[in-house]
Amino acid sequence: MFWQDVFIVAVGICLLAGGFGLRVWVSRRRFYRRGPGGLQHYSSYSKAVLSSMIEGFLLFVSIPMMILGMLVLFFWSINLIERGRYIIKDSDKTEKSIAEPTAHFLVPAEKGFGSKKISPIPNNHSLASMSCLG
């Protein structure tokens, strides 16, 4: 389970970083092609058309990559939280069944509310025998 989680996180981070990296790379290329007037300068028309098409495609591909990376990480975190809740619920059930009695001393087991495992008040105890009540 650990290596599956590592793989899912790595895929999500790679998709997110890859999409962001593509956008930065294309923007950087466009920035360094600009002249003093703000226009992009190419050596030939075919290079201008080919570069614009490839860079436009890469910008288009980077958006789904980043969205998919965020979704993978989001759903992985939800899955991780749910697994943690499931483990905590299971461990609580086992600890409670071992550590806690099934009947409370205010509701005796003889009334049909569980089995009697403990008796906090001894059976020979009575209020009349207490010296403070007189």
Side-chain angles (χ1 to χ4, degrees):
M1 203 60 147
F2 173 75
W3 291 111
Q4 289 175 347
D5 290 339
V6 170
F7 178 74
I8 290 171
V9 170
V11 166
I13 290 174
C14 286
L15 284 170
L16 194 61
F20 184 72
L22 278 175
R23 293 190 74 81
V24 168
W25 182 68
V26 169
S27 299
R28 185 176 185 273
R29 284 178 48 94
R30 287 182 176 178
F31 175 78
Y32 283 113
R33 272 199 307 261
R34 297 201 189 275
L39 298 176
Q40 296 183 32
H41 297 282
Y42 296 96
S43 61
S44 68
Y45 177 75
S46 61
K47 285 185 181 180
V49 171
L50 190 61
S51 293
S52 297
M53 281 183 17
I54 291 173
E55 289 174 353
F57 177 74
L58 289 176
L59 286 177
F60 182 72
V61 167
S62 69
I63 294 171
M65 283 177 65
M66 291 188 298
I67 291 172
L68 187 62
M70 286 188 282
L71 288 175
V72 165
L73 292 175
F74 177 71
F75 286 120
W76 169 79
S77 65
I78 289 176
N79 185 21
L80 191 66
I81 290 169
E82 289 299 321
R83 274 192 286 158
R85 286 185 187 159
Y86 180 72
I87 291 170
I88 289 172
K89 285 180 184 177
D90 283 351
S91 65
D92 285 348
K93 286 179 185 176
T94 56
E95 289 173 7
K96 285 182 183 177
S97 64
I98 294 170
E100 293 182 7
T102 56
H104 193 270
F105 70 92
L106 295 176
V107 182
E110 291 83 18
K111 302 276 185 178
F113 293 105
S115 62
K116 187 173 182 180
K117 291 188 175 182
I118 62 167
S119 177
I121 302 173
N123 289 337
N124 60 2
H125 177 74
S126 68
L127 294 176
S129 67
M130 295 180 72
S131 62
C132 65
L133 293 177

Short mmCIF file of all heavy atoms in Angstrom, two decimals, residues 86-101 117:
data_model
loop_
_atom_site.label_atom_id
_atom_site.label_comp_id
_atom_site.label_asym_id
_atom_site.label_seq_id
_atom_site.Cartn_x
_atom_site.Cartn_y
_atom_site.Cartn_z
N TYR A 86 -11.17 4.74 8.67
CA TYR A 86 -11.53 3.33 8.76
C TYR A 86 -10.62 2.61 9.75
O TYR A 86 -11.08 1.83 10.56
CB TYR A 86 -11.43 2.69 7.37
CG TYR A 86 -11.76 1.23 7.34
CD1 TYR A 86 -13.07 0.80 7.48
CD2 TYR A 86 -10.76 0.28 7.17
CE1 TYR A 86 -13.39 -0.54 7.44
CE2 TYR A 86 -11.07 -1.06 7.14
CZ TYR A 86 -12.38 -1.46 7.28
OH TYR A 86 -12.68 -2.78 7.25
N ILE A 87 -9.33 2.91 9.72
CA ILE A 87 -8.39 2.28 10.64
C ILE A 87 -8.67 2.72 12.06
O ILE A 87 -8.66 1.92 12.99
CB ILE A 87 -6.93 2.61 10.23
CG1 ILE A 87 -6.59 1.90 8.93
CG2 ILE A 87 -5.95 2.21 11.32
CD1 ILE A 87 -5.28 2.33 8.31
N ILE A 88 -8.96 4.00 12.26
CA ILE A 88 -9.25 4.50 13.61
C ILE A 88 -10.53 3.86 14.14
O ILE A 88 -10.59 3.45 15.29
CB ILE A 88 -9.35 6.03 13.59
CG1 ILE A 88 -7.97 6.64 13.38
CG2 ILE A 88 -9.95 6.55 14.89
CD1 ILE A 88 -7.98 8.14 13.15
N LYS A 89 -11.57 3.74 13.30
CA LYS A 89 -12.81 3.12 13.74
C LYS A 89 -12.58 1.66 14.12
O LYS A 89 -13.10 1.19 15.13
CB LYS A 89 -13.87 3.22 12.65
CG LYS A 89 -14.46 4.60 12.51
CD LYS A 89 -15.51 4.62 11.41
CE LYS A 89 -16.04 6.02 11.20
NZ LYS A 89 -17.00 6.08 10.09
N ASP A 90 -11.82 0.93 13.33
CA ASP A 90 -11.54 -0.46 13.65
C ASP A 90 -10.73 -0.59 14.93
O ASP A 90 -11.00 -1.45 15.76
CB ASP A 90 -10.79 -1.15 12.51
CG ASP A 90 -11.71 -1.51 11.36
OD1 ASP A 90 -12.94 -1.38 11.54
OD2 ASP A 90 -11.21 -1.91 10.31
N SER A 91 -9.74 0.28 15.13
CA SER A 91 -8.94 0.18 16.34
C SER A 91 -9.75 0.59 17.56
O SER A 91 -9.58 0.04 18.64
CB SER A 91 -7.68 1.04 16.22
OG SER A 91 -8.03 2.41 16.14
N ASP A 92 -10.68 1.53 17.41
CA ASP A 92 -11.55 1.91 18.53
C ASP A 92 -12.46 0.76 18.92
O ASP A 92 -12.68 0.51 20.10
CB ASP A 92 -12.41 3.13 18.17
CG ASP A 92 -11.62 4.43 18.17
OD1 ASP A 92 -10.48 4.41 18.68
OD2 ASP A 92 -12.15 5.44 17.68
N LYS A 93 -12.98 0.04 17.94
CA LYS A 93 -13.86 -1.07 18.24
C LYS A 93 -13.13 -2.17 19.01
O LYS A 93 -13.63 -2.69 19.98
CB LYS A 93 -14.43 -1.66 16.95
CG LYS A 93 -15.49 -0.81 16.31
CD LYS A 93 -15.99 -1.45 15.04
CE LYS A 93 -16.96 -0.52 14.33
NZ LYS A 93 -17.39 -1.08 13.05
N THR A 94 -11.93 -2.48 18.59
CA THR A 94 -11.20 -3.54 19.28
C THR A 94 -10.77 -3.10 20.67
O THR A 94 -10.84 -3.88 21.60
CB THR A 94 -9.97 -3.99 18.47
OG1 THR A 94 -9.15 -2.84 18.23
CG2 THR A 94 -10.38 -4.59 17.15
N GLU A 95 -10.35 -1.85 20.81
CA GLU A 95 -9.95 -1.38 22.13
C GLU A 95 -11.14 -1.31 23.07
O GLU A 95 -11.04 -1.68 24.23
CB GLU A 95 -9.28 -0.01 22.03
CG GLU A 95 -7.91 -0.06 21.40
CD GLU A 95 -7.34 1.33 21.16
OE1 GLU A 95 -7.96 2.30 21.62
OE2 GLU A 95 -6.30 1.43 20.53
N LYS A 96 -12.30 -0.87 22.59
CA LYS A 96 -13.47 -0.76 23.44
C LYS A 96 -13.95 -2.14 23.88
O LYS A 96 -14.36 -2.31 25.01
CB LYS A 96 -14.59 -0.03 22.71
CG LYS A 96 -14.37 1.46 22.62
CD LYS A 96 -15.54 2.12 21.93
CE LYS A 96 -15.27 3.61 21.78
NZ LYS A 96 -16.35 4.28 21.05
N SER A 97 -13.91 -3.11 22.98
CA SER A 97 -14.40 -4.42 23.34
C SER A 97 -13.51 -5.09 24.37
O SER A 97 -13.97 -5.88 25.17
CB SER A 97 -14.52 -5.30 22.10
OG SER A 97 -13.24 -5.52 21.55
N ILE A 98 -12.24 -4.73 24.41
CA ILE A 98 -11.33 -5.31 25.39
C ILE A 98 -11.33 -4.50 26.68
O ILE A 98 -11.39 -5.04 27.77
CB ILE A 98 -9.90 -5.39 24.81
CG1 ILE A 98 -9.88 -6.37 23.65
CG2 ILE A 98 -8.90 -5.79 25.87
CD1 ILE A 98 -8.60 -6.36 22.86
N ALA A 99 -11.31 -3.18 26.57
CA ALA A 99 -11.08 -2.34 27.73
C ALA A 99 -12.35 -1.97 28.48
O ALA A 99 -12.34 -1.86 29.69
CB ALA A 99 -10.35 -1.07 27.31
N GLU A 100 -13.46 -1.77 27.81
CA GLU A 100 -14.65 -1.26 28.47
C GLU A 100 -15.64 -2.38 28.74
O GLU A 100 -15.81 -3.29 27.94
CB GLU A 100 -15.31 -0.19 27.59
CG GLU A 100 -14.48 1.05 27.45
CD GLU A 100 -15.19 2.11 26.62
OE1 GLU A 100 -16.38 1.91 26.28
OE2 GLU A 100 -14.56 3.12 26.33
N PRO A 101 -16.34 -2.31 29.87
CA PRO A 101 -17.36 -3.32 30.16
C PRO A 101 -18.60 -3.08 29.31
O PRO A 101 -18.81 -2.00 28.78
CB PRO A 101 -17.66 -3.09 31.64
CG PRO A 101 -17.34 -1.64 31.85
CD PRO A 101 -16.17 -1.35 30.95
N LYS A 117 -19.76 -7.58 33.88
CA LYS A 117 -18.34 -7.91 33.96
C LYS A 117 -17.69 -7.28 35.17
O LYS A 117 -16.73 -7.80 35.69
CB LYS A 117 -17.62 -7.45 32.70
CG LYS A 117 -17.98 -8.22 31.47
CD LYS A 117 -17.10 -7.84 30.33
CE LYS A 117 -17.41 -8.71 29.13
NZ LYS A 117 -16.55 -8.39 28.02
#
